[in-house]
Amino acid sequence: MSTVGTGSNDKCKIGVYVCHCGINISSKVDVSKTVRFAAKLPHVTVSREYKFMCADPGQDLIQQDIRDGRINRAVVASCSPLMHEPTFRNTMAEAGGNPFLFQMANIREHVSWVTLDNTAATEKAMSLISAAVERVVFHQPLMPNRVPVHPDVLVVGGGIAGIHAALTLADAGQKVYLVEREPSIGGHMAKFDKTFPTLDCSACILTPKMSAVRAHSNITLWSYSEVIGVDGFVGNFKVRVRRKPRYIIEERCVGCLDCIEACIYKSGKVPDEFNEGLVKRKPVYIPFPQATPLVAVIDAKTCIGIRTGKCKMTCIDACERDAIDLNQSEEINEIEVGAIILATGFKTFNAKRIYRYGYGKYSNIYTSLELERMVNAAGPTGGEITLKNGQKPKAVGIVHCVGSRDNKTNKYCSKVCCMYSLKLAHLIKERTGAEVYNFYIDMRTPGKGYEEFYDRLLEENVHFIRGRVAEITDWVMTPEEEGKLVIRAEDTLVGVVRRVPVDMVVLSVGLEPQPDAEDVGRLFNISCTREGWFLERHPKLAPVSTFTDGIFLAGACQGPKDIPDSVAQAGAAAAEALALIDRGYVVLEPNTAYVQDELCSGCKTCIDLCPYGAISFDDEKDTAKVNGALCKGCGTCVASCPSGSLQQYLFTDDQIFSEIKGVILYA
Amino acid sequence: MPERNDIERFFDPKIVAFFCNWCTYTAADLAGTARMTYAPNVRVIRIMCSGRLDPQFVLSAFREGADGILIGGCHPGDCHYQEGNYQALRRFILLKRLIHAFGIEKERIRLEWIAASEGDKVQRVINEMTETVRRLGPLDLEPITKKVIDYMSVTHHEMVSISHRGSS
């Protein structure tokens, strides 16, 4: 056997370990056959199989072979390297081997789980194993790259998830930047009246947490601000935050409302976003009484003073603290953080997209969020549920699954609508005594106390009609329907088409990703699902991590979630961020590019290709030079090098050429 | 002489795929987790970014006996490394012309953008690619073409030894 491999003078002795993964692999792949096949491959000294290679006895096999000097390189044929590569690299290192003299062959995700025919699966497994064996010959012993972690954390989004994550981290002693796009934190939860199934007041449980954010010495709260740039990598992110001008000097404003009183508009002119446009606000406003920070904001689009300059600017005179500055301009702040938690939330489905439901066409049809504001004592009607004519409704229909479980809009279940519809049904019944009709497809109430709440509603004589609503119309057929909205739906339990006349309709709109979720995903270099929810690293085992290390997810930006789930996930994300910071360093994959000086012709092709500016030109040596700290290891420059001088650790030309040879030559 | 149909029926093409670590390789893992079965002819080689794809990899794979090459990267704008997939696209267009000049059908190479959540697209693309190559039949490179590729595919290992020979 000849001495092979670069950088290592040891004779190449490869151990091949094929995993059964219970029966996940062995039910399709003839494992014994692959082991016999591997034993005959060049440089292979040991070839074994085991039921679970990732279990301790499996890892012990590798370690014993290393300690006994039988092998110095290893190939494990099992699951995806994205799953267990770190595990087996550790196994190598613990036994005194170099963790990078290792290669995985993915014979589960890429073979046994996707191949119908057993013979074809075994052949495919053998070819992937031979490719890994051919490749590992060219592996170089490398040192993992340790980089310190910046201890500060950025939380993006100030809804309940962002608030909880920020508070958890701040309580642990970390410095947190909480960035919120709106003038106040609070998110959707601040708009709700009650929370299911306990019916405790949403504001009562949320506002203490909002005040805690404001008061916490470890939290820097930047409301009315947006992240506009993210550079760097895990442990060392450089983030640029744009602080939009609110035309009020935040440090001086005490939220006394004098400027709002003094505005030359005597009444509201602009739809009030916080109240879902049910009422109007002035250009200068505070979103809601418990807003945090409690600081006014001036909407530049509608303020005549800012737009034209031709205004008496009574607000400026009214402010005793000189807090108004109509010439304020935006501010860009640059911060360094070690970890980022995204908690950017959701938006509700636009009910106008289902024209058959008549939202926006008939009066007295509301979305669930609008009704949520209406039942709130601080809302536009002071908590009264009234029709447009001021009367109380006698019959109310609640239409479930608007924009959920629907092939024409969103296929997925929004998870929270059944429960909030029950809550609204209870509140409507309580406040008005009206007959309430729920039109549902299936009632989905899994959760602590949720089914019990449903039972309670059944006892409160709320009507439940199983059937998707076909249309809502004002076209009447009988005298009783006169002046009412008619809900047409097939009652699938009875098998008849029903026409239910009601005074008011509530559309239980589903949850959708934020309209700019994809752009935000790109900004933070994370992926989205097809619907636009942020993609977690693993649906079960890494639900708050993303494919970009150091960036974590919390709340409904990852998928529809209720408050308990959002809070739980926020706590988990905070713990993950804390684990990263507490360790103090990160180990970076040493897959950076490097230049072999003797082959570099100095053509400079690579320099412009690098998106990170990691390659510079050494004028003395007339060669290119890679800055390992800036290189992220994509290998684009390597592929462009005409002289083969640039190489990438872990992905050298030799390694890939030998892998190509391996997959084709055998099997 | 077997009929054309027989070749199609019995010919099992060898296809080498180069999938980027962040999108397409992850999507292939997802297809596995979701047990989406597909043709067994494709062998996936993981690279960190489709921008790492050296055109020589493709030529070398054809030289070693591959009948088709599949390249998978992140969707435009979604590249984990900002713009590696655009470089892959530029090289792919040139590569198509190059292999055409070698007498290799253009359909034998295919570039697809497959996001991490698109396991079903991995399944579809691999099945389509296998059928396309099956219809084209085995790739029969002329000896002269093989020689040219051999000349082009000097590995860096060999280059180092050549350069050392030059300097000593």
Side-chain angles (χ1 to χ4, degrees):
Chain A
M1 224 176 276
S2 60
T3 307
V4 257
T6 39
S8 164
N9 291 323
D10 286 347
K11 204 167 90 173
C12 187
K13 292 181 281 187
I14 303 169
V16 177
Y17 304 86
V18 186
C19 180
H20 289 240
C21 194
I23 57 161
N24 279 305
I25 292 169
S26 59
S27 64
K28 280 273 179 247
V29 174
D30 183 343
V31 173
S32 303
K33 192 174 170 188
T34 60
V35 170
R36 289 197 301 277
F37 163 80
K40 291 187 200 125
L41 292 172
H43 310 300
V44 172
T45 49
V46 169
S47 181
R48 304 184 195 278
E49 58 188 288
Y50 190 70
K51 211 161 180 62
F52 290 104
M53 277 311 295
C54 60
D56 282 349
Q59 296 186 46
D60 287 346
L61 287 177
I62 304 175
Q63 296 192 330
Q64 205 51 53
D65 286 340
I66 294 176
R67 291 199 184 101
D68 295 347
R70 279 191 289 271
I71 65 161
N72 51 23
R73 283 157 204 256
V75 167
V76 173
S78 57
C79 50
S80 169
L82 303 184
M83 189 96 171
H84 269 310
E85 194 174 54
T87 313
F88 293 117
R89 279 184 181 167
N90 269 340
T91 310
M92 298 283 293
E94 278 172 17
N98 187 283
F100 298 97
L101 298 180
F102 167 77
Q103 176 70 11
M104 259 179 116
N106 185 349
I107 62 165
R108 192 180 72 176
E109 279 86 344
H110 287 194
V111 181
S112 68
W113 278 351
V114 293
T115 311
L116 280 174
D117 180 62
N118 286 34
T119 318
T122 307
E123 273 176 16
K124 190 173 176 182
M126 291 196 292
S127 90
L128 293 182
I129 292 169
S130 67
V133 169
E134 290 280 342
R135 190 191 207 274
V136 83
V137 170
F138 287 96
H139 278 210
Q140 305 146 293
L142 300 171
M143 279 295 287
N145 195 3
R146 269 193 185 201
V147 180
V149 170
H150 197 286
D152 297 351
V153 184
L154 167 69
V155 178
V156 186
I160 180 60
I163 289 173
H164 187 76
L167 282 174
T168 309
L169 286 161
D171 284 344
Q174 302 306 324
K175 196 166 164 13
V176 182
Y177 296 92
L178 178 58
V179 174
E180 165 60 49
R181 169 148 67 181
E182 302 295 329
S184 167
I185 57 170
H188 279 94
M189 190 176 169
K191 296 185 179 186
F192 301 156
D193 181 49
K194 298 278 190 290
T195 56
F196 61 75
T198 47
L199 294 175
D200 40 5
C201 150
S202 186
C204 312
I205 53 178
L206 176 66
T207 48
K209 293 190 83 122
M210 288 164 65
S211 310
V213 165
R214 183 72 178 142
H216 211 298
S217 56
N218 281 339
I219 299 180
T220 305
L221 170 59
W222 283 337
S223 62
Y224 216 46
S225 306
E226 281 176 308
V227 174
I228 53 168
V230 182
D231 284 318
F233 53 92
V234 54
N236 297 272
F237 293 106
K238 284 188 180 61
V239 182
R240 278 183 303 136
V241 180
R242 179 163 57 119
R243 306 202 58 200
K244 296 181 273 189
R246 62 197 303 156
Y247 305 102
I248 305 274
I249 300 162
E250 206 174 314
E251 295 71 29
R252 290 192 195 163
C253 178
V254 289
C256 67
L257 312 179
D258 284 352
C259 53
I260 303 171
E261 282 291 313
C263 178
I264 58 147
Y265 285 128
K266 286 297 157 238
S267 59
K269 282 283 166 216
V270 199
D272 180 359
E273 297 88 351
F274 186 78
N275 281 308
E276 293 295 299
L278 290 175
V279 284
K280 297 204 162 155
R281 61 158 172 83
K282 295 182 180 179
V284 55
Y285 66 106
I286 288 179
F288 55 103
Q290 303 94 336
T292 306
L294 192 62
V295 173
V297 55
I298 299 177
D299 175 6
K301 283 199 196 93
T302 48
C303 168
I304 344 178
I306 295 171
R307 256 176 48 227
T308 65
K310 290 171 191 156
C311 176
K312 280 188 246 164
M313 305 199 186
T314 40
C315 54
I316 296 181
D317 299 334
C319 183
E320 287 176 7
R321 298 173 61 89
D322 291 331
I324 298 177
D325 173 10
L326 297 185
N327 298 315
Q328 210 175 44
S329 55
E330 68 172 31
E331 215 179 281
I332 308 284
N333 284 350
E334 289 202 16
I335 52 172
E336 285 185 23
V337 293
I340 299 173
I341 295 175
L342 288 180
T344 51
F346 65 94
K347 76 171 180 74
T348 51
F349 176 79
N350 176 8
K352 280 189 183 152
R353 282 172 61 194
I354 306 180
Y355 64 94
R356 296 169 287 121
Y357 290 172
Y359 178 76
K361 182 177 168 197
Y362 304 123
S363 52
N364 295 322
I365 298 187
Y366 295 99
T367 67
S368 42
L369 207 49
E370 286 169 348
L371 200 80
E372 203 70 66
R373 290 313 301 150
M374 206 190 272
V375 293
N376 190 294
T381 58
E384 293 287 321
I385 301 172
T386 54
L387 301 171
K388 283 271 152 62
N389 61 13
Q391 287 177 346
K392 277 192 178 177
K394 291 195 179 64
V396 178
I398 300 180
V399 181
H400 290 221
C401 297
V402 178
S404 306
R405 305 184 70 196
D406 177 4
N407 280 339
K408 291 200 181 82
T409 55
N410 295 316
K411 284 189 177 179
Y412 55 86
C413 167
S414 291
K415 204 173 171 188
V416 295
C417 323
C418 279
M419 284 306 295
Y420 79 57
S421 299
L422 290 177
K423 174 191 73 182
L424 290 174
H426 170 86
L427 294 174
I428 293 167
K429 192 96 186 156
E430 187 183 72
R431 306 273 167 93
T432 65
E435 292 296 325
V436 181
Y437 300 88
N438 274 280
F439 294 85
Y440 67 98
I441 306 176
D442 297 292
M443 285 307 295
R444 297 190 164 176
T445 58
K448 205 173 181 181
Y450 290 12
E451 183 71 12
E452 293 87 332
F453 189 68
Y454 176 32
D455 286 340
R456 174 176 167 187
L457 265 285
L458 288 169
E459 279 166 23
E460 285 175 4
N461 289 327
V462 171
H463 305 284
F464 288 89
I465 297 166
R466 185 178 183 273
R468 184 187 276 285
V469 170
E471 69 167 344
I472 296 164
T473 175
D474 64 352
W475 179 55
V476 295
M477 289 177 79
T478 58
E480 300 90 75
E481 291 175 1
E482 204 64 56
K484 303 227 174 196
L485 292 164
V486 179
I487 302 176
R488 278 203 326 127
E490 184 190 357
D491 186 333
T492 56
L493 293 182
V494 186
V496 295
V497 176
R498 293 244 224 159
R499 290 174 63 87
V500 179
V502 294
D503 302 308
M504 177 190 273
V505 175
V506 180
L507 302 176
S508 295
V509 284
L511 272 48
E512 283 188 340
Q514 292 277 15
D516 59 349
E518 280 202 7
D519 297 331
V520 174
R522 278 173 195 171
L523 187 64
F524 289 93
N525 211 349
I526 60 170
S527 311
C528 293
T529 65
R530 194 161 310 167
E531 295 84 18
W533 305 108
F534 292 149
L535 189 66
E536 65 284 348
R537 193 176 190 113
H538 190 280
K540 291 162 197 92
L541 301 178
V544 299
S545 305
T546 65
F547 285 102
T548 301
D549 286 335
I551 298 189
F552 305 100
L553 304 175
C557 62
Q558 183 256 354
K561 245 172 233 82
D562 57 12
I563 295 166
D565 284 0
S566 296
V567 171
Q569 211 186 18
E576 295 272 1
L578 209 53
L580 173 69
I581 291 162
D582 211 40
R583 193 172 57 213
Y585 66 89
V586 281
V587 179
L588 298 181
E589 185 87 347
N591 58 6
T592 50
Y594 63 97
V595 179
Q596 296 164 294
D597 288 347
E598 66 273 26
L599 291 176
C600 179
S601 64
C603 71
K604 300 183 185 174
T605 308
C606 52
I607 294 177
D608 289 337
L609 276 176
C610 180
Y612 307 105
I615 312 177
S616 57
F617 194 72
D618 188 332
D619 284 320
E620 272 180 27
K621 287 202 277 184
D622 256 0
T623 56
K625 199 168 70 182
V626 177
N627 180 341
L630 293 177
C631 174
K632 297 213 183 179
C634 62
T636 302
C637 57
V638 183
S640 79
C641 179
S643 63
S645 147
L646 263 166
Q647 287 300 324
Q648 182 185 9
Y649 289 118
L650 294 174
F651 292 89
T652 64
D653 283 350
D654 286 332
Q655 288 165 3
I656 296 173
F657 279 129
S658 56
E659 202 174 346
I660 295 169
K661 193 175 132 204
V663 286
I664 297 171
L665 216 58
Y666 304 93
Chain B
M1 267 289 276
E3 290 294 307
R4 177 80 194 150
N5 282 348
D6 289 339
I7 295 178
E8 272 188 34
R9 201 180 309 144
F10 297 116
F11 168 53
D12 239 348
K14 285 179 186 170
I15 298 166
V16 177
F18 296 94
F19 284 175
C20 85
N21 181 66
W22 303 99
C23 290
T24 314
Y25 194 90
T26 313
D29 277 1
L30 178 67
T33 312
R35 312 296 201 274
M36 295 173 178
T37 52
Y38 51 75
N41 305 61
V42 173
R43 312 280 189 260
V44 179
I45 291 175
R46 182 171 68 108
I47 46 183
M48 290 312 284
C49 176
S50 53
R52 174 69 183 94
L53 188 91
D54 191 325
Q56 285 192 8
F57 297 162
V58 174
L59 295 178
S60 156
F62 280 135
R63 169 69 179 86
E64 299 286 353
D67 302 300
I69 310 289
L70 179 61
I71 303 153
C74 306
H75 282 271
D78 283 354
C79 178
H80 190 82
Y81 303 102
Q82 297 179 18
E83 52 198 31
N85 53 355
Y86 293 130
Q87 306 301 345
L89 177 62
R90 294 163 86 179
R91 287 179 195 138
F92 178 75
I93 292 164
L94 279 172
L95 197 55
K96 263 191 150 174
R97 293 166 63 176
L98 180 68
I99 64 158
H100 185 65
F102 278 138
I104 303 171
E105 294 92 335
K106 285 180 185 174
E107 294 77 24
R108 288 190 191 272
I109 61 172
R110 179 168 174 175
L111 172 68
E112 280 291 339
W113 310 130
I114 304 178
S117 59
E118 294 179 318
D120 53 338
K121 193 170 176 186
V122 170
Q123 179 187 39
R124 179 171 63 77
V125 167
I126 286 183
N127 282 337
E128 284 175 8
M129 182 74 186
T130 307
E131 276 322 297
T132 306
V133 178
R134 203 193 298 279
R135 251 179 281 121
L136 290 171
L139 175 64
D140 197 10
L141 283 184
E142 292 191 21
I144 178 73
T145 312
K146 288 185 181 172
K147 263 191 189 160
V148 172
I149 294 178
D150 281 343
Y151 181 72
M152 292 172 77
S153 307
V154 180
T155 66
H156 105 266
H157 201 64
E158 290 158 324
M159 293 187 80
V160 173
S161 55
I162 293 168
S163 86
H164 282 176
R165 240 176 281 150
S167 60
S168 60

